[in-house]
């Protein structure tokens, strides 16, 4: 009886480890699901949307401008960010520096200068769709390609808004 | 029949192996002279180091650790450097465009031990912590060079505020 329980426990552990490893490999090398939080990608993505992302393009690194990507935040390594690639390396970006916070408090619109720049090699320029409420490359500059984890393929939840992106 | 058994065991072992390499660590060869004299003291003979991946993502990296990271210039390339400053540290640079740099949040300052022969933060600036992939813990090959890699930082390369506090105490 005791022997029976031990063998069952062993086979249970074996199966658990096996499936954990298969899950890890699938999520790490093929694709995974991501829950969106925050307003920075409105009106394309809203909070609590679930996205299907693929990690295969990571090996070719053939990201194009317009792709929505998940990347490790360059200002906080424990956080992931979901943004749209605006320009890849070698392309030119024209961007407006965000309004300084003091300017809003005095209710006086400040004309901020447009800056033109080239995205350096091995980097991409990312911006949120919600330009007024997004902390992105306009704050921390172009991010290295190595920070990108995956590319968003489609939205899977809520089901009524199921669509490719 | 033998083939089926082989395929089945491969199917079992492959995910297990990949997961082990991803979560625990792996062995890699060091190329180049940028980490002399600790790694590759003889340019002809390449060292193999064990890279520990465990604990790299919860920011358990300290100043003086040797880490492997994805190059910020070329994502296909991995480089091995020593961490000189963590986020918030004030580092005096060696030939960077600013003489003194405060490392921004989420970044660190990495340098090769072989000053002047290393492509490091003095060229491309602070690097994002998210680019770190593993920490080098030991040289495993060749056998006569087997050793644990110590966490050491030359006194002259300590961040300014750390050097100051240890000077006054």
């Amino acid at each position: 009886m005791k022997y029976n329980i031990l063998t069952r426990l062993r086979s249970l552990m074996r199966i658990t480890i096996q499936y954990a490893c298969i899950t890890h490999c699938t999520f790490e090398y093929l694709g995974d699901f991501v829950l969106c939080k925050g307003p920075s990608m409105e009106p394309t993505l809203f909070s609590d949307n679930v996205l299907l992302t693929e990690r295969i393009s990571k090996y070719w690194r053939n990201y194009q401008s317009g792709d929505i990507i998940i990347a490790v935040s360059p200002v906080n390594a424990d956080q992931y960010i979901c943004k749209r690639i605006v320009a890849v390396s070698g392309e030119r970006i024209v961007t407006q520096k965000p309004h300084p916070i003091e300017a809003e408090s005095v209710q006086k619109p400040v004309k901020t200068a447009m800056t033109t720049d080239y995205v350096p090699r091995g980097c991409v320029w990312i911006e949120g769709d919600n330009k007024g409420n997004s902390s992105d490359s306009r704050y921390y500059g172009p991010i290295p390609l190595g920070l990108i984890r995956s590319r968003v393929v489609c939205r899977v939840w809520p089901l009524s808004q199921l669509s490719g992106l | 029949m033998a083939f089926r058994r082989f395929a089945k065991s491969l199917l079992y072992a492959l995910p297990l192996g990949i997961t082990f390499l991803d979560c625990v660590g792996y062995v890699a060869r060091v190329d180049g002279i940028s980490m002399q004299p600790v790694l590759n003291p003889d340019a002809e003979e390449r060292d193999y180091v064990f890279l520990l991946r465990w604990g790299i993502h919860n920011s358990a990296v300290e100043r003086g650790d040797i880490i492997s990271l994805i190059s910020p210039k070329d994502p296909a390339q991995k480089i091995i450097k020593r961490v000189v400053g963590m986020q918030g540290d004030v580092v005096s640079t060696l030939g960077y465009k600013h003489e003194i740099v405060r490392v921004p949040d989420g970044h660190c300052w990495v340098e090769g031990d072989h000053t002047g022969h290393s492509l490091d933060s003095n060229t491309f600036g602070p690097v994002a912590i998210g680019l770190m992939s593993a920490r080098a813990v030991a040289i495993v090959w060749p056998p006569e060079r087997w050793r644990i890699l110590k966490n050491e930082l030359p006194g002259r390369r300590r961040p300014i505020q750390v050097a100051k506090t240890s000077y006054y105490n």
Side-chain angles (χ1 to χ4, degrees), chain A residues 14 17-18 20-22 24-25 28-29 61 72-78 80 121-123 140 144-147, chain B residues 11-12 14-16 18-19 22-23 53 57-59 70 72-76 87 105-107 128-131:
Chain A
R14 207 184 122 126
I17 292 174
Q18 188 173 5
C21 291
I22 290 173
H24 171 90
C25 290
E28 199 71 18
Y29 294 100
R61 301 186 190 82
V72 181
S73 167
V75 288
N76 178 4
D78 301 324
Y80 293 112
R121 188 159 65 93
C123 291
Y140 39 69
L145 272 169
L147 285 179
Chain B
L11 214 66
Y12 176 68
L14 205 64
L16 197 74
I18 294 174
T19 311
D22 272 357
C23 296
R53 291 200 27 114
H57 286 304
N58 38 26
S59 312
I70 302 167
K73 291 265 167 111
D74 177 11
Q87 51 188 6
D105 283 349
H107 288 66
I129 290 180
L131 290 174

Side-chain angles (χ1 to χ4, degrees), chain A residues 70-87:
Chain A
I70 310 283
V72 181
S73 167
V75 288
N76 178 4
D78 301 324
Q79 208 179 21
Y80 293 112
I81 49 174
C82 176
K83 303 279 180 229
R84 192 184 289 277
I85 297 181
V86 171

Side-chain angles (χ1 to χ4, degrees), chain B residues 100-158:
Chain B
I100 287 175
V101 166
R102 188 188 162 275
V103 182
D105 283 349
H107 288 66
C108 62
W109 191 268
V110 294
E111 278 179 8
D113 284 2
H114 198 181
T115 308
H117 295 82
S118 164
L119 188 66
D120 51 28
S121 280
N122 288 311
T123 313
F124 46 67
V127 291
I129 290 180
L131 290 174
M132 280 187 197
S133 64
R135 184 161 66 89
V137 286
I139 301 175
V140 292
W141 195 264
E144 68 270 15
R145 302 242 322 125
W146 194 94
R147 73 194 59 187
I148 300 281
L149 290 167
K150 287 195 296 290
N151 173 329
E152 54 185 353
L153 192 61
R156 62 191 170 81
R157 293 309 302 144
R158 273 181 302 183

Side-chain angles (χ1 to χ4, degrees), chain B residues 56-101:
Chain B
I56 196 82
H57 286 304
N58 38 26
S59 312
V61 177
E62 293 170 2
R63 287 182 212 107
D65 282 344
I66 299 177
I67 55 151
S68 121
L69 63 150
I70 302 167
S71 166
K73 291 265 167 111
D74 177 11
Q77 199 182 24
K78 283 205 174 153
I79 54 180
I80 186 161
K81 299 283 174 244
R82 195 185 286 280
V83 180
V84 169
M86 296 302 293
Q87 51 188 6
D89 288 352
V90 180
V91 184
S92 68
T93 64
L94 309 164
Y96 187 54
K97 58 186 173 189
H98 307 295
E99 200 172 339
I100 287 175
V101 166

Side-chain angles (χ1 to χ4, degrees), chain A residues 29-40:
Chain A
Y29 294 100
L30 294 178
D32 57 359
F33 296 96
V34 175
L35 177 67
C36 276
K37 285 277 176 206
S40 76

